[in-house]
Each structure stands twice: as structure tokens, then as C-alpha cells.
Amino acid sequence: MADAPQATQQTKAKAGPAGAPAAPTHRLAAPAPAATVSAGRPAGNPYDELPYDSHPFSQTHPARLATVATLFGLTPAPVEKCRVLELGCAAGGNIATIGEMYPDSELVGVDLSARQIADGQQVVKAAGLTNVDLRHASITDIDESYGTFDYIICHGVFSWVPDPVRQKILAVCGANLKPTGVAYVSYNTYPGWHMRGMLRDMMRFHADRFTTPKQKVEQARALIDFLASSTKNDSGPYGALLRQELESIRHQADHYLYHEHLEEVNDPVYFHQFIDMAHKHNLRYLGEARLPTMVTTNFAPDVRKAIATVATDQIQIEQYLDFVRNRMFRETLLVRPSVNPNWAIRPDAVRSLQVGVTKRTVDDAVDLKSTTAQAQYSSVSGMTLTTTNPVLKAAMRILGQAWPATISFEDLDRGISELIGRPSDNGQQLSVAILNTYLSSNLIELTTVPVAKVGVTEKPLALATARARLGADQNGVASRRHEFMRTNDLDKRLIPLLDGTRDRDAVLDKLVQLGVVGELQIHRDNQRLTDPVAIRAALSGALDQALERYATACLLKA
């Protein structure tokens, strides 16, 4: 399908927060007599009819791209003052908050969905952002008039558009990327997508007999339920793989299921094929946004030895790793061919970065100075790290106390020396410990820009983009850490009130008013409260808890 103004395939089918609750059992249905397989999909843009939830994706943040480039020995543009282009920006949920955090940077987003661009422009205007420009345009419209960019982001688009548009995505990266720039492109990959592609074919065969996106999603879910029930007694490899994939799909939100699995185009590629395409557009491989996926040390020695024997360069190593992992999705970073990344990361590379932990650690009982006493730390995903290294134990304590803020490498090293009383070694032990932990787990985070801790002030101020999103009745908000926070009914009424002009009592007064008129439902013993005194008593503690939650989620500004 050629790309044209009426094309429907240039908006993101993003691999993002699924988050849908488990769907109830759906029943297979035959289409109405008037509907046939040839009825196909709606004539309009499916992203206008069923918009994609526009969220932040932390792995696409320019600071993440700059961090990977820095670790590989490059000198990327400072995120605090850069130009960013996002191809397929949906409603701008991935770049608007970046614009708020870095007012000296310029962010441009392009999307073919008029509805989503309009939704995003509403948020950008309400948040008062003058450095975020969301444009309703085709990716194929991008030319030299857009200028050059330090960072180009294309998340969840490449596999879901026809080949001419895929080629244009890479052409834009090749033509509009600055000499020191970094481009991010995500895409579905083989061999992992062979299984998922089979399920997609099954769902589309059945769902394409129906007309509306709602019907298609309902019947795709019905087929999933039918297949799960039909294969529950199949103990063979087909049944096991099928049930694993079905369970994943079953919990996906409607918009994700529709755009990920039921769209007309979804063409995965092998990693080496993607790199070949990139080379033709004057681009070379830098690495992956999730850098630990490039590391082979987590594999058994015989696996590492075999890959080292057959792979002659980094590209081949990555392809064989995909074979071993059955990988189905990549987030690849590309640079100009004149750039020469050093994939053998030197520990000293972490010295210029900010260090943080992904989860608060509490280890007050740990003997930091002992070289035999063990300490164990767990990440948000449940990954654990056990160590007896005094330097690493001290680092984890300091970082845990600072969470959710980051600390500069120098300040962290100084703090460790003071904590355990060791003589300075100019950060040599710390740099090795931090790098190894970062590459082998998801406990440590590294970034080029600091993240500050902001507590609950007298007059709390939430991010303008968060207030604007909820004011526009959009779902969820982005934090200063570029993480997505889901919102409940209280959040949706409370966060827009946190504009820095109200103290706690004034905020509580407004919430009580909303409770009295029924805009905020407050219940006790399954009965809605209507008395202002009772509502105030019920909301008081909930308000304090919510404010603390916003502070730790980095939703508040100083």
C-alpha cells in the first residue's frame, strides 16, 4: 500500500503499557449477513476511530539515548538543549513532558492521525509549552525544511507501515540526523514473532469478517478464549507456546490489541535485515536502548564460546543472541557512519553520568564494611543481586536513601568513602561495580541528566503536562523520570488542582466541593457520602497519601 495522505498506517502501534484488566469470556459470533471478508477495515484512519493511548516510553527518552552513546565512547548533544523529532508521535504523550522538563530544547512530533494530533495540541497549549510542535503530517512529508535533529525517535511504527514508509523512516534518520545525533527505531523481530505472527493471522482471519474496530476487537478476544479453551489439555509444545502467547494477548488493552495485531500491516524482520536496510540509508548500528540486552555474560560459558566462534562482528553477535533468546522486539539505536562506537565499554565511562536505583532499597541492618557479610537487593521486576562488596553495598544504601533522585558519580564515590571510611582510589572500584551491576541487572540506572527529589511543599505543584492531560480527560500521566503513572478517580480530580496556588487546606476544600456535588464519589459502607464534614474526614488522610505518592513518583516540581 503506497503512502498517501489518506493512508492509515503511519500512526504508532506502540509496544507500550498494556495494562488492561483480564477480559471476560467472549463468545465467537458469525458476522451479520451483509458483512463479508471483503468488507475489510473502515475507510477512515483507524487511529482516529480507536486512538492509541499516548504514553511516555522511558527507553526512548533522549537521556537514555545519550547515556548509551556516552558509554560507547561518543559525545552526544546535551539533552537540556537539543532538537528532537518523533515520527508517529500520536498525541504527544512521549515528548510533551520532555519539553516541559527542558524548556531550552525543541521537540517536533509528526503523526497522520488528525484526532490524536488535535488531542496532543490541546494538552501542549494548556500546559503552556512553546517548544513542543505537534504536526498533522505524513512521515513522507518530512524534508530538509524540518532541519536537523540531535535525536530522532520512531517507536512502534516501523513494523506497522508499508515498505515505502519504512524506507522513508530510515531516510529521514539518514538525512535529518546531526553528525553526533542518535536515532531510535523499534520494530518486531524474528524468530520470536513467528509464533505471535501465527496468532495474529488467526485473529485477523476471524476479526476481518466484522466491520467496526469494536467488533473486531471483541471477536479477536473471543477467538483467543476459544483457542485457550480448546488447547487446555494439549501438553505438547504447540499447546504450551499457544497458551503462553494467548495469556499475554488476553491482558492487552483494546487499542493495543487492535493496532498491534489486527492492523493490515505488521511485518517483522530479522535484525541483520534491519541493519542492511539502515546501511543503505547511510546509517550504522550503535546499540540497543536497553543496553543490558547486548551483554552475553548472563549466558552459560558454552553459549558464549559458541557465539564468539561463529560471530565475527557485533552485528552477527546480536543476530545469534536473537536466535538464542527467540527475540521478538528490538529498540535499536543508529548513528552516522562517521561515528565509531566502542562496544568494549570502559568502566571510566560511567564517571560523567548520574547514578540512581530503580527501586528504593532499605538495608540498614547490612554490615557495609564486612567483606563476607552478604546483602541482597531486588528490582521492581523481581531480579535480585547478592553481594559482599563493601563499595557496592555502600553505594546501594546511599542510592536507596536518595531515591527517586540520582547522584553524580563523584558525589556517590565521596559518600561511600565517608560511610565506610575507606581511602580514596579515585572511583576505580565504584566504576567497575556500577558498570557491572548496570549491565547485569535492572537495579542500577545511569543517565546523563540529574533527577531531583521534590517533596510535598506548602503549595504543591504538579507537572503542567500532567495537569493538562487529566484536564483534557486523557488517561495517566508522565513523571519527571519519564515513567507512566496510572491515575484513579481521586488522582484525576486532585492533580489538576496542584497548580502551586493552593495549600493543603485549599486543595481539600476543592475536593470536598467535588464530593458534595458528586463529581468525586466518596463511599463508606457502600453508601456515597454527601455530608461535607464526613467527606472531609474521609478525604483528609487520602489526600496526604496521594501527595506523598506523587512526590515519590516524581510528579511534583519545585
Side-chain angles (χ1 to χ4, degrees):
M1 180 176 71
D3 177 51
Q6 70 272 19
T8 63
Q9 298 294 325
Q10 286 189 35
T11 308
K12 293 186 175 182
K14 291 186 175 179
T25 301
H26 296 77
R27 294 184 179 276
L28 289 173
T36 65
V37 174
S38 62
R41 60 184 54 258
N45 189 324
Y47 292 90
D48 289 338
E49 300 188 37
L50 184 60
Y52 210 103
D53 282 357
S54 190
H55 296 155
F57 297 91
S58 59
Q59 68 274 24
T60 72
H61 195 290
R64 173 74 69 90
L65 313 189
T67 298
V68 175
T70 299
L71 290 173
F72 286 144
L74 308 183
T75 307
V79 175
E80 297 89 339
K81 192 173 184 179
C82 67
R83 293 196 80 221
V84 180
L85 171 65
E86 182 170 26
L87 307 176
C89 66
N94 192 40
I95 58 174
T97 303
I98 300 174
E100 180 178 0
M101 292 302 302
Y102 308 113
D104 291 332
S105 290
E106 179 184 356
L107 298 101
V108 179
V110 173
D111 202 282
L112 197 61
S113 169
R115 174 178 175 178
Q116 292 191 110
I117 287 294
D119 289 344
Q121 289 172 338
Q122 179 183 354
V123 170
V124 168
K125 181 179 180 180
L129 303 179
T130 58
N131 61 334
V132 179
D133 180 12
L134 304 182
R135 305 181 186 181
H136 175 219
S138 166
I139 289 174
T140 58
D141 292 336
I142 298 174
D143 54 24
E144 65 277 1
S145 67
Y146 278 67
T148 56
F149 297 86
D150 299 292
Y151 303 97
I152 297 178
I153 303 167
C154 187
H155 181 61
V157 180
F158 191 85
S159 293
W160 296 266
V161 293
D163 185 65
V165 187
R166 284 195 290 272
Q167 299 297 334
K168 179 63 177 180
I169 289 170
L170 295 175
V172 169
C173 293
N176 296 76
L177 194 65
K178 290 185 179 181
T180 60
V182 181
Y184 166 107
V185 182
S186 68
Y187 49 99
N188 289 334
T189 59
Y190 293 130
W193 242 89
H194 279 298
M195 181 66 183
R196 190 157 288 181
M198 179 182 70
L199 293 178
R200 163 182 149 80
D201 291 342
M202 295 178 188
M203 286 189 289
R204 290 198 69 228
F205 174 81
H206 180 64
D208 275 358
R209 303 171 71 199
F210 298 83
T211 306
T212 68
K214 183 176 184 295
Q215 290 173 326
K216 290 175 180 288
V217 169
E218 287 178 349
Q219 285 305 301
R221 293 196 184 282
L223 184 66
I224 290 170
D225 289 338
F226 168 72
L227 292 173
S229 175
S230 300
T231 60
K232 63 183 179 182
N233 296 322
D234 184 348
S235 59
Y238 174 75
L241 285 171
L242 188 62
R243 285 190 296 274
Q244 179 180 341
E245 289 298 315
L246 291 174
E247 187 62 23
S248 172
I249 293 173
R250 176 180 282 154
H251 292 278
Q252 293 168 357
D254 284 354
H255 65 86
Y256 182 85
L257 178 64
Y258 183 72
H259 296 301
E260 170 77 3
H261 298 286
L262 302 182
E263 284 286 2
E264 181 178 342
V265 177
N266 190 332
D267 292 332
V269 294
Y270 282 98
F271 170 71
H272 71 89
Q273 294 174 325
F274 175 82
I275 296 301
D276 286 343
M277 295 171 64
H279 284 166
K280 294 176 182 177
H281 291 280
N282 205 29
L283 296 163
R284 71 173 299 176
Y285 182 60
L286 170 62
E288 298 297 314
R290 302 178 196 268
L291 196 150
T293 65
M294 300 177 65
V295 177
T296 61
T297 52
N298 291 332
F299 291 97
D302 57 331
V303 176
R304 299 200 303 270
K305 181 178 180 180
I307 292 177
T309 300
V310 298
T312 59
D313 57 31
Q314 188 66 37
I315 305 303
Q316 292 188 18
I317 290 174
E318 292 294 321
Q319 184 59 80
Y320 281 105
L321 286 176
D322 282 7
F323 294 159
V324 173
R325 290 178 172 135
N326 195 36
R327 191 164 181 165
M328 63 179 63
F329 187 69
R330 270 188 174 267
E331 298 157 321
T332 294
L333 307 186
L334 302 168
V335 291
R336 292 286 198 177
S338 58
V339 174
N340 294 303
N342 178 11
W343 289 305
I345 303 175
R346 294 173 54 86
D348 284 354
V350 306
R351 291 175 178 269
S352 65
L353 300 174
Q354 293 279 319
V355 188
V357 286
T358 56
K359 176 186 176 182
R360 174 184 284 157
T361 56
V362 180
D363 62 351
D364 294 338
V366 172
D367 185 346
L368 300 182
K369 297 182 180 181
S370 170
T371 58
T372 58
Q374 289 187 342
Q376 188 174 81
Y377 308 95
S378 62
S379 71
V380 290
S381 66
M383 181 177 291
T384 60
L385 167 71
T386 301
T387 182
T388 60
N389 183 347
V391 170
L392 183 55
K393 289 188 292 186
M396 294 299 286
R397 177 171 295 181
I398 294 172
L399 293 171
Q401 292 171 346
W403 182 89
T406 58
I407 301 176
S408 71
F409 180 88
E410 288 185 359
D411 287 345
L412 180 59
D413 188 52
R414 187 180 306 112
I416 292 171
S417 295
E418 295 173 356
L419 190 59
I420 63 176
R422 68 174 174 86
S424 174
D425 65 351
N426 296 318
Q428 293 183 23
Q429 292 183 65
L430 179 60
S431 61
V432 172
I434 289 297
L435 181 60
N436 288 341
T437 304
Y438 173 74
L439 293 176
S440 63
S441 70
N442 58 356
L443 280 80
I444 292 286
E445 65 175 351
L446 298 174
T447 179
T448 60
V449 294
V451 177
K453 179 184 289 188
V454 178
V456 180
T457 58
E458 181 181 355
K459 294 181 179 181
L461 175 63
L463 289 168
T465 44
R467 290 183 278 120
R469 278 182 63 90
L470 297 181
D473 201 29
Q474 295 189 22
N475 295 320
V477 293
S479 74
R480 289 185 289 110
R481 292 170 61 92
H482 209 59
E483 296 172 342
F484 180 70
M485 191 187 92
R486 299 192 179 279
T487 48
N488 56 35
D489 287 342
L490 176 60
D491 298 331
K492 293 175 182 178
R493 273 70 176 187
L494 172 55
I495 291 173
L497 298 176
L498 306 180
D499 60 1
T501 67
R502 300 179 178 90
D503 61 17
R504 179 190 180 280
D505 289 340
V507 171
L508 186 56
D509 288 341
K510 294 291 293 184
L511 291 177
V512 171
Q513 293 174 17
L514 295 175
V516 170
V517 299
E519 290 187 29
L520 178 61
Q521 300 279 322
I522 310 299
H523 292 84
R524 178 184 296 160
D525 298 329
N526 296 322
Q527 296 293 322
R528 186 174 81 84
L529 299 180
T530 58
D531 176 64
V533 175
I535 292 174
R536 178 177 292 272
L539 281 174
S540 182
L543 171 59
D544 292 335
Q545 292 176 7
L547 291 175
E548 287 299 330
R549 179 161 51 90
Y550 302 158
T552 57
C554 288
L555 200 65
L556 303 180
K557 297 171 63 176

